[in-house]
Amino acid sequence: DLTILSYEDENILLKAHNVNFKVEGIVLNKKTINKKIPFSYHKYFLNCDSLYYGDNAFYTIKSNQLSATKNGLNLKYFQLKPKYSRRDFVQKIPKEKDLYSIFAEEISLNNMAWGFKKDTFFFKTQSVAIHQMNATIFRSKIPEDDLSKKELYNNLLRNLNADIKVDTLQIKNSFLTYEEGKTFENEPGKLIFSDFNMFVQDIESGLNKSKLPDVKIKVNCNFMKKSPLKIDWSFNVLDKTEGVKINGSIFKVDAKELEIFTKPYINIKINGALEEVYFDFVGNDLINKGDFSLKYDDLKVVIYKGNKRVEKNKFLSAIGNLIVKDDSNKELKTVKIEVKRNQEKSFYNFLWISIADGLKQILI
């Protein structure tokens, strides 16, 4: 057994039970002693029945079983758990920040290599597979907005100060929930993605690279447990315009389930059915353009007054429902969208305001 305690307060930083560790082919000499890892080895084997890591301000990490060799890693029943309740977390952060809770039945990495080349850390693996993950992302709107620029994934990977390469990443048979709340007196709004499967190719950092293949992402899942959703998404890490292509489709959506986003972003609530939705966007760090298509049935809109979005604007709602055709006559309506990116917001905000612009053009 191994336990590491904090020198200041004796809190447990790391704990492992029933540890078995073996290293073969160890070399320690004048050449290796000056490296980041001061010895070389031929191979190693590590196994333990349980692992706990607590040296983080907000989270603990647990795994029921860990096994690792020079070429691979396997974790069973992995957990990333918050140290604080949602209320306490909000009191401890000066600006808006997501709170994560993640459980995965199994995480496996194959054909793995890691270490240091001079002073640069490298990590490479042929595949990462995450099985039956259940993840919740919670964001409270109580703290102040974080107005710093949110970099897109191109930039984040391009400027990573490490040599990272993951040939494929798979998330299989998983469940993802996003929750957003303005107060703790009311239930937060929820977006649920079930039967979630994601396949990503060619994740690689840009350090010392002059050419890289596009990162390609495919997502298949059910939105709100019943609406089939597909997304194809790609970008190139070395593209300094932060170019991105994303297209997708979703079918048979109960429109009122979008209220968590339609209400704050376009000041309306929609009731009815979105039978078919398609989008095909091309964007960069500044702007997003493309096609948005919608087939809908029996729609009604509620328009709200002002930024608080509490009181209904009965007059505009009545006018809106006169203007909005309650169905698309079984036709697919298509519009061109063009939106500017708010660089203080994430990529997902950028995607949503693009979809919201399409909805607004067709429905209002």
PDB file of all heavy atoms in Angstrom, residues 238-263:
ATOM      1  N   LEU A 238      -2.902  23.604 -37.601  1.00  0.00           N
ATOM      2  CA  LEU A 238      -1.934  24.608 -38.053  1.00  0.00           C
ATOM      3  C   LEU A 238      -2.581  25.787 -38.777  1.00  0.00           C
ATOM      4  O   LEU A 238      -1.886  26.706 -39.199  1.00  0.00           O
ATOM      5  CB  LEU A 238      -0.892  23.947 -38.952  1.00  0.00           C
ATOM      6  CG  LEU A 238      -0.060  22.840 -38.289  1.00  0.00           C
ATOM      7  CD1 LEU A 238       0.957  22.276 -39.269  1.00  0.00           C
ATOM      8  CD2 LEU A 238       0.642  23.341 -37.028  1.00  0.00           C
ATOM      9  N   ASP A 239      -3.895  25.777 -38.925  1.00  0.00           N
ATOM     10  CA  ASP A 239      -4.606  26.868 -39.579  1.00  0.00           C
ATOM     11  C   ASP A 239      -4.751  28.036 -38.603  1.00  0.00           C
ATOM     12  O   ASP A 239      -5.561  27.992 -37.671  1.00  0.00           O
ATOM     13  CB  ASP A 239      -5.982  26.387 -40.042  1.00  0.00           C
ATOM     14  CG  ASP A 239      -6.785  27.469 -40.744  1.00  0.00           C
ATOM     15  OD1 ASP A 239      -6.274  28.608 -40.879  1.00  0.00           O
ATOM     16  OD2 ASP A 239      -7.916  27.187 -41.158  1.00  0.00           O
ATOM     17  N   LYS A 240      -3.994  29.105 -38.823  1.00  0.00           N
ATOM     18  CA  LYS A 240      -3.987  30.228 -37.893  1.00  0.00           C
ATOM     19  C   LYS A 240      -5.215  31.120 -38.013  1.00  0.00           C
ATOM     20  O   LYS A 240      -5.399  32.028 -37.191  1.00  0.00           O
ATOM     21  CB  LYS A 240      -2.707  31.049 -38.067  1.00  0.00           C
ATOM     22  CG  LYS A 240      -1.470  30.275 -37.636  1.00  0.00           C
ATOM     23  CD  LYS A 240      -0.221  31.138 -37.672  1.00  0.00           C
ATOM     24  CE  LYS A 240       0.989  30.339 -37.188  1.00  0.00           C
ATOM     25  NZ  LYS A 240       2.233  31.141 -37.202  1.00  0.00           N
ATOM     26  N   THR A 241      -6.062  30.892 -39.036  1.00  0.00           N
ATOM     27  CA  THR A 241      -7.358  31.584 -39.067  1.00  0.00           C
ATOM     28  C   THR A 241      -8.366  30.865 -38.183  1.00  0.00           C
ATOM     29  O   THR A 241      -9.476  31.330 -38.008  1.00  0.00           O
ATOM     30  CB  THR A 241      -7.915  31.659 -40.505  1.00  0.00           C
ATOM     31  OG1 THR A 241      -8.316  30.349 -40.937  1.00  0.00           O
ATOM     32  CG2 THR A 241      -6.883  32.232 -41.470  1.00  0.00           C
ATOM     33  N   GLU A 242      -7.993  29.705 -37.627  1.00  0.00           N
ATOM     34  CA  GLU A 242      -8.842  28.848 -36.788  1.00  0.00           C
ATOM     35  C   GLU A 242     -10.053  28.338 -37.574  1.00  0.00           C
ATOM     36  O   GLU A 242     -11.174  28.268 -37.060  1.00  0.00           O
ATOM     37  CB  GLU A 242      -9.321  29.577 -35.511  1.00  0.00           C
ATOM     38  CG  GLU A 242      -8.305  30.486 -34.859  1.00  0.00           C
ATOM     39  CD  GLU A 242      -6.998  29.794 -34.451  1.00  0.00           C
ATOM     40  OE1 GLU A 242      -6.908  28.576 -34.563  1.00  0.00           O
ATOM     41  OE2 GLU A 242      -6.067  30.503 -34.039  1.00  0.00           O
ATOM     42  N   GLY A 243      -9.819  27.972 -38.837  1.00  0.00           N
ATOM     43  CA  GLY A 243     -10.892  27.486 -39.690  1.00  0.00           C
ATOM     44  C   GLY A 243     -11.521  26.206 -39.162  1.00  0.00           C
ATOM     45  O   GLY A 243     -10.833  25.333 -38.630  1.00  0.00           O
ATOM     46  N   VAL A 244     -12.838  26.107 -39.331  1.00  0.00           N
ATOM     47  CA  VAL A 244     -13.565  24.934 -38.861  1.00  0.00           C
ATOM     48  C   VAL A 244     -14.727  24.654 -39.803  1.00  0.00           C
ATOM     49  O   VAL A 244     -15.367  25.574 -40.317  1.00  0.00           O
ATOM     50  CB  VAL A 244     -14.072  25.134 -37.403  1.00  0.00           C
ATOM     51  CG1 VAL A 244     -14.984  26.340 -37.304  1.00  0.00           C
ATOM     52  CG2 VAL A 244     -14.772  23.896 -36.879  1.00  0.00           C
ATOM     53  N   LYS A 245     -14.984  23.369 -40.052  1.00  0.00           N
ATOM     54  CA  LYS A 245     -16.145  22.941 -40.827  1.00  0.00           C
ATOM     55  C   LYS A 245     -16.987  22.031 -39.935  1.00  0.00           C
ATOM     56  O   LYS A 245     -16.444  21.131 -39.287  1.00  0.00           O
ATOM     57  CB  LYS A 245     -15.716  22.173 -42.079  1.00  0.00           C
ATOM     58  CG  LYS A 245     -14.889  22.981 -43.065  1.00  0.00           C
ATOM     59  CD  LYS A 245     -14.456  22.110 -44.250  1.00  0.00           C
ATOM     60  CE  LYS A 245     -13.597  22.900 -45.221  1.00  0.00           C
ATOM     61  NZ  LYS A 245     -13.148  22.041 -46.359  1.00  0.00           N
ATOM     62  N   ILE A 246     -18.291  22.275 -39.940  1.00  0.00           N
ATOM     63  CA  ILE A 246     -19.160  21.425 -39.125  1.00  0.00           C
ATOM     64  C   ILE A 246     -20.532  21.321 -39.785  1.00  0.00           C
ATOM     65  O   ILE A 246     -21.091  22.313 -40.238  1.00  0.00           O
ATOM     66  CB  ILE A 246     -19.275  21.951 -37.673  1.00  0.00           C
ATOM     67  CG1 ILE A 246     -20.069  20.966 -36.803  1.00  0.00           C
ATOM     68  CG2 ILE A 246     -19.872  23.349 -37.612  1.00  0.00           C
ATOM     69  CD1 ILE A 246     -19.900  21.213 -35.307  1.00  0.00           C
ATOM     70  N   ASN A 247     -21.014  20.096 -39.898  1.00  0.00           N
ATOM     71  CA  ASN A 247     -22.362  19.890 -40.421  1.00  0.00           C
ATOM     72  C   ASN A 247     -23.043  18.807 -39.598  1.00  0.00           C
ATOM     73  O   ASN A 247     -22.387  17.990 -38.947  1.00  0.00           O
ATOM     74  CB  ASN A 247     -22.338  19.532 -41.911  1.00  0.00           C
ATOM     75  CG  ASN A 247     -21.655  18.207 -42.181  1.00  0.00           C
ATOM     76  OD1 ASN A 247     -22.227  17.148 -41.925  1.00  0.00           O
ATOM     77  ND2 ASN A 247     -20.426  18.250 -42.693  1.00  0.00           N
ATOM     78  N   GLY A 248     -24.370  18.819 -39.649  1.00  0.00           N
ATOM     79  CA  GLY A 248     -25.084  17.838 -38.851  1.00  0.00           C
ATOM     80  C   GLY A 248     -26.560  17.819 -39.152  1.00  0.00           C
ATOM     81  O   GLY A 248     -27.073  18.606 -39.965  1.00  0.00           O
ATOM     82  N   SER A 249     -27.249  16.920 -38.475  1.00  0.00           N
ATOM     83  CA  SER A 249     -28.693  16.782 -38.639  1.00  0.00           C
ATOM     84  C   SER A 249     -29.305  16.299 -37.340  1.00  0.00           C
ATOM     85  O   SER A 249     -28.644  15.631 -36.531  1.00  0.00           O
ATOM     86  CB  SER A 249     -29.013  15.785 -39.764  1.00  0.00           C
ATOM     87  OG  SER A 249     -28.533  14.485 -39.436  1.00  0.00           O
ATOM     88  N   ILE A 250     -30.569  16.668 -37.140  1.00  0.00           N
ATOM     89  CA  ILE A 250     -31.317  16.207 -35.971  1.00  0.00           C
ATOM     90  C   ILE A 250     -32.785  16.100 -36.364  1.00  0.00           C
ATOM     91  O   ILE A 250     -33.286  16.916 -37.150  1.00  0.00           O
ATOM     92  CB  ILE A 250     -31.113  17.155 -34.765  1.00  0.00           C
ATOM     93  CG1 ILE A 250     -31.814  16.605 -33.525  1.00  0.00           C
ATOM     94  CG2 ILE A 250     -31.574  18.564 -35.077  1.00  0.00           C
ATOM     95  CD1 ILE A 250     -31.442  17.336 -32.250  1.00  0.00           C
ATOM     96  N   PHE A 251     -33.462  15.078 -35.821  1.00  0.00           N
ATOM     97  CA  PHE A 251     -34.826  14.792 -36.250  1.00  0.00           C
ATOM     98  C   PHE A 251     -35.773  14.711 -35.059  1.00  0.00           C
ATOM     99  O   PHE A 251     -35.390  14.278 -33.974  1.00  0.00           O
ATOM    100  CB  PHE A 251     -34.871  13.469 -37.017  1.00  0.00           C
ATOM    101  CG  PHE A 251     -34.000  13.456 -38.244  1.00  0.00           C
ATOM    102  CD1 PHE A 251     -32.730  12.888 -38.211  1.00  0.00           C
ATOM    103  CD2 PHE A 251     -34.443  14.024 -39.430  1.00  0.00           C
ATOM    104  CE1 PHE A 251     -31.928  12.884 -39.337  1.00  0.00           C
ATOM    105  CE2 PHE A 251     -33.648  14.025 -40.555  1.00  0.00           C
ATOM    106  CZ  PHE A 251     -32.392  13.449 -40.517  1.00  0.00           C
ATOM    107  N   LYS A 252     -37.013  15.176 -35.306  1.00  0.00           N
ATOM    108  CA  LYS A 252     -38.119  15.035 -34.357  1.00  0.00           C
ATOM    109  C   LYS A 252     -37.785  15.588 -32.967  1.00  0.00           C
ATOM    110  O   LYS A 252     -37.754  14.869 -31.962  1.00  0.00           O
ATOM    111  CB  LYS A 252     -38.559  13.575 -34.270  1.00  0.00           C
ATOM    112  CG  LYS A 252     -39.075  13.023 -35.609  1.00  0.00           C
ATOM    113  CD  LYS A 252     -39.694  11.660 -35.464  1.00  0.00           C
ATOM    114  CE  LYS A 252     -40.188  11.145 -36.805  1.00  0.00           C
ATOM    115  NZ  LYS A 252     -41.186  12.017 -37.456  1.00  0.00           N
ATOM    116  N   VAL A 253     -37.549  16.908 -32.932  1.00  0.00           N
ATOM    117  CA  VAL A 253     -37.228  17.593 -31.679  1.00  0.00           C
ATOM    118  C   VAL A 253     -38.465  18.309 -31.157  1.00  0.00           C
ATOM    119  O   VAL A 253     -39.129  19.050 -31.896  1.00  0.00           O
ATOM    120  CB  VAL A 253     -36.104  18.623 -31.897  1.00  0.00           C
ATOM    121  CG1 VAL A 253     -35.786  19.346 -30.589  1.00  0.00           C
ATOM    122  CG2 VAL A 253     -34.857  17.951 -32.454  1.00  0.00           C
ATOM    123  N   ASP A 254     -38.772  18.098 -29.882  1.00  0.00           N
ATOM    124  CA  ASP A 254     -39.801  18.886 -29.214  1.00  0.00           C
ATOM    125  C   ASP A 254     -39.194  20.263 -28.957  1.00  0.00           C
ATOM    126  O   ASP A 254     -38.285  20.410 -28.140  1.00  0.00           O
ATOM    127  CB  ASP A 254     -40.197  18.204 -27.909  1.00  0.00           C
ATOM    128  CG  ASP A 254     -41.338  18.917 -27.207  1.00  0.00           C
ATOM    129  OD1 ASP A 254     -41.652  20.058 -27.585  1.00  0.00           O
ATOM    130  OD2 ASP A 254     -41.906  18.338 -26.263  1.00  0.00           O
ATOM    131  N   ALA A 255     -39.697  21.297 -29.628  1.00  0.00           N
ATOM    132  CA  ALA A 255     -39.045  22.608 -29.629  1.00  0.00           C
ATOM    133  C   ALA A 255     -38.928  23.225 -28.236  1.00  0.00           C
ATOM    134  O   ALA A 255     -37.990  23.974 -27.963  1.00  0.00           O
ATOM    135  CB  ALA A 255     -39.800  23.559 -30.557  1.00  0.00           C
ATOM    136  N   LYS A 256     -39.864  22.920 -27.332  1.00  0.00           N
ATOM    137  CA  LYS A 256     -39.809  23.540 -25.998  1.00  0.00           C
ATOM    138  C   LYS A 256     -38.578  23.086 -25.219  1.00  0.00           C
ATOM    139  O   LYS A 256     -38.159  23.763 -24.274  1.00  0.00           O
ATOM    140  CB  LYS A 256     -41.085  23.239 -25.221  1.00  0.00           C
ATOM    141  CG  LYS A 256     -41.277  21.789 -24.816  1.00  0.00           C
ATOM    142  CD  LYS A 256     -42.600  21.607 -24.079  1.00  0.00           C
ATOM    143  CE  LYS A 256     -42.809  20.138 -23.673  1.00  0.00           C
ATOM    144  NZ  LYS A 256     -44.104  19.940 -22.997  1.00  0.00           N
ATOM    145  N   GLU A 257     -37.973  21.963 -25.623  1.00  0.00           N
ATOM    146  CA  GLU A 257     -36.774  21.489 -24.934  1.00  0.00           C
ATOM    147  C   GLU A 257     -35.547  22.343 -25.259  1.00  0.00           C
ATOM    148  O   GLU A 257     -34.504  22.212 -24.616  1.00  0.00           O
ATOM    149  CB  GLU A 257     -36.524  20.029 -25.294  1.00  0.00           C
ATOM    150  CG  GLU A 257     -37.596  19.103 -24.715  1.00  0.00           C
ATOM    151  CD  GLU A 257     -37.452  17.665 -25.146  1.00  0.00           C
ATOM    152  OE1 GLU A 257     -36.795  17.410 -26.161  1.00  0.00           O
ATOM    153  OE2 GLU A 257     -38.021  16.787 -24.467  1.00  0.00           O
ATOM    154  N   LEU A 258     -35.675  23.233 -26.246  1.00  0.00           N
ATOM    155  CA  LEU A 258     -34.582  24.143 -26.588  1.00  0.00           C
ATOM    156  C   LEU A 258     -34.653  25.452 -25.811  1.00  0.00           C
ATOM    157  O   LEU A 258     -33.847  26.344 -26.026  1.00  0.00           O
ATOM    158  CB  LEU A 258     -34.594  24.442 -28.088  1.00  0.00           C
ATOM    159  CG  LEU A 258     -34.367  23.251 -29.024  1.00  0.00           C
ATOM    160  CD1 LEU A 258     -34.537  23.712 -30.469  1.00  0.00           C
ATOM    161  CD2 LEU A 258     -32.997  22.639 -28.826  1.00  0.00           C
ATOM    162  N   GLU A 259     -35.619  25.571 -24.906  1.00  0.00           N
ATOM    163  CA  GLU A 259     -35.846  26.847 -24.223  1.00  0.00           C
ATOM    164  C   GLU A 259     -34.612  27.348 -23.483  1.00  0.00           C
ATOM    165  O   GLU A 259     -34.376  28.563 -23.395  1.00  0.00           O
ATOM    166  CB  GLU A 259     -37.010  26.709 -23.240  1.00  0.00           C
ATOM    167  CG  GLU A 259     -37.339  28.005 -22.516  1.00  0.00           C
ATOM    168  CD  GLU A 259     -38.473  27.825 -21.519  1.00  0.00           C
ATOM    169  OE1 GLU A 259     -39.214  26.828 -21.618  1.00  0.00           O
ATOM    170  OE2 GLU A 259     -38.607  28.693 -20.632  1.00  0.00           O
ATOM    171  N   ILE A 260     -33.812  26.441 -22.945  1.00  0.00           N
ATOM    172  CA  ILE A 260     -32.615  26.850 -22.209  1.00  0.00           C
ATOM    173  C   ILE A 260     -31.700  27.715 -23.065  1.00  0.00           C
ATOM    174  O   ILE A 260     -30.940  28.543 -22.565  1.00  0.00           O
ATOM    175  CB  ILE A 260     -31.847  25.613 -21.677  1.00  0.00           C
ATOM    176  CG1 ILE A 260     -30.659  26.039 -20.815  1.00  0.00           C
ATOM    177  CG2 ILE A 260     -31.412  24.712 -22.796  1.00  0.00           C
ATOM    178  CD1 ILE A 260     -29.907  24.879 -20.197  1.00  0.00           C
ATOM    179  N   PHE A 261     -31.805  27.555 -24.388  1.00  0.00           N
ATOM    180  CA  PHE A 261     -30.976  28.369 -25.277  1.00  0.00           C
ATOM    181  C   PHE A 261     -31.763  29.405 -26.068  1.00  0.00           C
ATOM    182  O   PHE A 261     -31.302  30.521 -26.262  1.00  0.00           O
ATOM    183  CB  PHE A 261     -30.193  27.464 -26.234  1.00  0.00           C
ATOM    184  CG  PHE A 261     -29.098  26.728 -25.550  1.00  0.00           C
ATOM    185  CD1 PHE A 261     -29.161  25.358 -25.374  1.00  0.00           C
ATOM    186  CD2 PHE A 261     -27.999  27.400 -25.046  1.00  0.00           C
ATOM    187  CE1 PHE A 261     -28.150  24.677 -24.718  1.00  0.00           C
ATOM    188  CE2 PHE A 261     -26.985  26.733 -24.394  1.00  0.00           C
ATOM    189  CZ  PHE A 261     -27.060  25.366 -24.225  1.00  0.00           C
ATOM    190  N   THR A 262     -32.965  29.064 -26.543  1.00  0.00           N
ATOM    191  CA  THR A 262     -33.714  30.041 -27.340  1.00  0.00           C
ATOM    192  C   THR A 262     -34.122  31.255 -26.508  1.00  0.00           C
ATOM    193  O   THR A 262     -34.148  32.381 -27.005  1.00  0.00           O
ATOM    194  CB  THR A 262     -34.969  29.417 -27.970  1.00  0.00           C
ATOM    195  OG1 THR A 262     -35.829  28.922 -26.943  1.00  0.00           O
ATOM    196  CG2 THR A 262     -34.606  28.292 -28.927  1.00  0.00           C
ATOM    197  N   LYS A 263     -34.410  31.022 -25.227  1.00  0.00           N
ATOM    198  CA  LYS A 263     -34.859  32.129 -24.384  1.00  0.00           C
ATOM    199  C   LYS A 263     -33.756  33.154 -24.125  1.00  0.00           C
ATOM    200  O   LYS A 263     -33.954  34.351 -24.328  1.00  0.00           O
ATOM    201  CB  LYS A 263     -35.430  31.574 -23.070  1.00  0.00           C
ATOM    202  CG  LYS A 263     -36.348  32.543 -22.336  1.00  0.00           C
ATOM    203  CD  LYS A 263     -37.001  31.848 -21.148  1.00  0.00           C
ATOM    204  CE  LYS A 263     -37.802  32.824 -20.308  1.00  0.00           C
ATOM    205  NZ  LYS A 263     -38.388  32.172 -19.121  1.00  0.00           N
TER     206      LYS A 263
END
